[in-house]
């Protein structure tokens, strides 16, 4: 099958097309014929050697959106032909076929395109886990979402708004209209204003920028900060307010919950750009992601959407 891989760590030029075997599935897995995937910052951090890889040729990518082509003997909740999305275990998704464990799968609602589906699994699921489960954001809570225009931030703002929170966020001015249209109550241009000067007594901070000390400054004594970008020190973890790191725990239930929010119109998927599954396409997509200024998700199209 066609895939985009790297043979050694390096810059985006290391990404290239290759023929690799279609994965064999275990009994608790399905084989997904991919329609789309997306690029996340962890992809280029792995590509350049900052994060651990898992052997060369290294297949990157962590978002699955496609149709089940084969099911293992112990798979009971999904069948061949189901349209699904998933954040699989670390196997790579820049490919025509991906094996996914059943517990990572969510059905893709028919009203969501495969491209939108590809944007949800990693970014949407971690946003859901942090806002709903880790910060337990509720009605009337004041929450700061750092990096609101990013892949994760856009989901986080909307999920927090769907729970009735008052949401502040940070972004460059060009993204303010978009973020307000999605419900953000207060948008701060971090180039011009320190959010610590204008935000006080917050219940929660979702730190996507490794800016933990500043985040802690705006919290109530009972407030909580969750960072997905940095590791709080021992003192920061146990202070009042407290800080914790959260690493995504992929699971199909949480991914399905986000897909449901999208299907019911409570959350919109914002796509920054789309590129094809080619050497040039992936190189351009990684360069776009490494710019740190994508607004929304960078989607990779792999095959035409199947017609039902
Ligand atoms: N722990 C985990 O399991 C986990 C999972 C997912 C992601 N992450 C991490 O979370 C971070 C965010 O991921 P992502 O996918 O949202 O990244 P992303 O889409 O690449 O984020 C891009 C956005 O960052 C904004 N930005 C850049 N510098 C900023 C600053 N100083 N203050 C506020 N916003 C700033 C930009 O906004 P403007 O253009 O408006 O400036 C841009 O829209 C990454 O570091 C990623 O590795 C961790």
């Amino acid at each position: 099958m066609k895939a985009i891989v790297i043979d050694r760590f390096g810059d985006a030029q290391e990404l290239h097309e290759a023929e690799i075997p279609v994965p064999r599935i275990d009994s608790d897995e399905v084989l997904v014929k991919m329609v789309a995937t997306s690029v996340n910052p962890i992809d280029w951090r792995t590509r350049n050697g900052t994060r651990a890889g898992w052997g060369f040729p290294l297949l990157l990518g962590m978002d699955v959106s496609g149709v089940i082509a084969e099911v293992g003997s112990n798979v009971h909740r999904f069948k061949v032909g189901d349209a699904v999305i998933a954040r699989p275990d670390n196997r790579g998704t820049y490919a025509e076929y991906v094996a996914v464990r059943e517990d990572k799968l969510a059905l893709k609602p028919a009203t969501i395109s495969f491209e939108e589906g590809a944007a949800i699994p990693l970014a949407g699921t971690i946003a859901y886990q942090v806002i709903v489960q880790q910060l337990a954001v509720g009605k009337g809570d004041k929450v700061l979402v750092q990096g609101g225009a990013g892949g994760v931030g856009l989901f986080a703002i909307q999920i927090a708004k769907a729970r009735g929170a008052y949401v502040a966020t940070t972004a460059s001015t060009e993204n303010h209209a978009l973020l307000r249209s999605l419900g953000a109550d207060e948008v701060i241009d971090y180039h011009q204003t320190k959010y610590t000067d204008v935000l006080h007594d917050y219940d929660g901070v979702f730190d996507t920028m490794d800016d933990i000390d500043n985040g802690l400054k705006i919290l109530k004594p009972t407030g909580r900060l969750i960072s997905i970008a940095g590791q709080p020190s021992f003192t920061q973890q146990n202070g009042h307010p407290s800080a914790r790191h959260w690493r995504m725990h992929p699971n199909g239930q949480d991914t399905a919950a986000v897909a449901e929010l999208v299907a019911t119109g409570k959350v919109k998927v914002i796509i920054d750009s789309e590129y094809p599954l080619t050497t040039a396409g992936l190189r351009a997509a990684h360069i776009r992601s490494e710019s740190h200024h994508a607004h929304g998700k960078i989607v990779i199209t792999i095959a035409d959407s199947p017609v039902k």
Side-chain angles (χ1 to χ4, degrees):
M1 67 172 176
K2 180 169 123 180
I4 305 294
V5 301
I6 57 169
D7 297 326
R8 58 183 182 187
F9 296 125
D11 66 19
Q13 298 310 308
E14 297 298 336
L15 292 155
H16 68 87
E17 198 174 317
E19 276 296 316
I20 63 171
V22 173
R24 293 166 66 121
I25 55 169
D26 290 335
S27 60
D28 61 348
E29 292 181 323
V30 307
L31 185 68
V32 177
K33 183 176 187 323
M34 295 286 287
V35 178
T37 182
S38 91
V39 172
N40 294 285
I42 192 173
D43 298 357
W44 48 262
R45 291 201 182 108
T46 309
R47 189 209 69 220
N48 68 24
T50 313
R51 298 288 298 252
W54 44 94
F56 296 112
L58 181 55
L59 183 60
L60 302 168
M62 294 198 167
D63 287 305
V64 162
S65 180
V67 177
I68 295 179
E70 196 184 324
V71 295
S73 55
N74 282 332
V75 170
H76 303 296
R77 291 182 296 115
F78 297 89
K79 61 182 189 311
V80 170
D82 282 347
V84 288
I85 59 175
R87 190 319 205 158
D89 299 317
N90 290 348
R91 296 207 190 203
T93 62
Y94 300 169
E96 289 178 308
Y97 290 90
V98 176
V100 186
R101 275 215 345 236
E102 181 178 29
D103 63 335
K104 309 291 187 254
L105 289 168
L107 285 173
K108 180 189 77 62
T111 50
I112 301 178
S113 70
F114 283 92
E115 289 75 17
E116 290 170 321
I120 292 172
L122 191 147
T125 306
I126 194 160
Y128 181 86
Q129 290 176 346
V130 171
I131 294 293
V132 176
Q133 299 165 357
Q134 298 303 308
L135 291 173
V137 170
K139 195 168 165 48
D141 285 351
K142 293 202 296 185
V143 185
L144 168 66
V145 175
Q146 278 266 52
V152 176
L154 283 160
F155 281 109
I157 290 168
Q158 298 181 82
I159 294 168
K161 286 306 297 177
R163 294 177 71 80
Y166 178 91
V167 179
T169 191
T170 52
S172 299
T173 300
E174 69 196 61
N175 291 319
H176 286 204
L178 169 68
L179 299 182
R180 285 192 190 284
S181 76
L182 297 175
D185 298 288
E186 213 164 322
V187 190
I188 297 157
D189 183 345
Y190 62 88
H191 301 284
Q192 294 175 21
T193 306
K194 283 190 197 167
Y195 66 85
T196 48
D197 288 344
V198 291
L199 304 180
H200 308 282
D201 296 323
Y202 267 61
D203 299 284
V205 168
F206 186 172
D207 172 43
T208 63
M209 292 292 148
D210 195 4
D211 188 26
I212 297 166
D213 270 335
N214 283 326
L216 287 170
K217 285 181 193 159
I218 68 159
L219 283 170
K220 290 174 176 170
T222 53
R224 271 191 252 178
L225 178 149
I226 298 291
S227 179
I228 61 167
Q231 185 62 57
S233 67
F234 181 77
T235 314
Q236 288 169 329
Q237 288 191 44
N238 293 297
H240 300 282
S242 69
R244 296 267 180 278
H245 177 77
W246 179 252
R247 182 161 185 215
M248 185 187 176
H249 292 43
N251 75 74
Q253 278 182 345
D254 293 346
T255 302
V258 183
E260 178 66 14
L261 286 168
V262 176
T264 53
K266 296 192 176 79
V267 169
K268 281 190 189 146
V269 174
I270 306 298
I271 293 179
D272 172 83
S273 45
E274 292 187 18
Y275 300 87
L277 186 80
T278 60
T279 299
L282 261 299
R283 288 177 180 175
H286 271 225
I287 289 167
R288 175 68 181 151
S289 181
E290 284 182 278
S291 76
H292 292 288
H293 290 292
H295 41 268
K297 293 293 300 173
I298 298 164
V299 167
I300 307 298
T301 52
I302 299 175
D304 291 339
S305 299
V307 182
K308 287 246 169 190

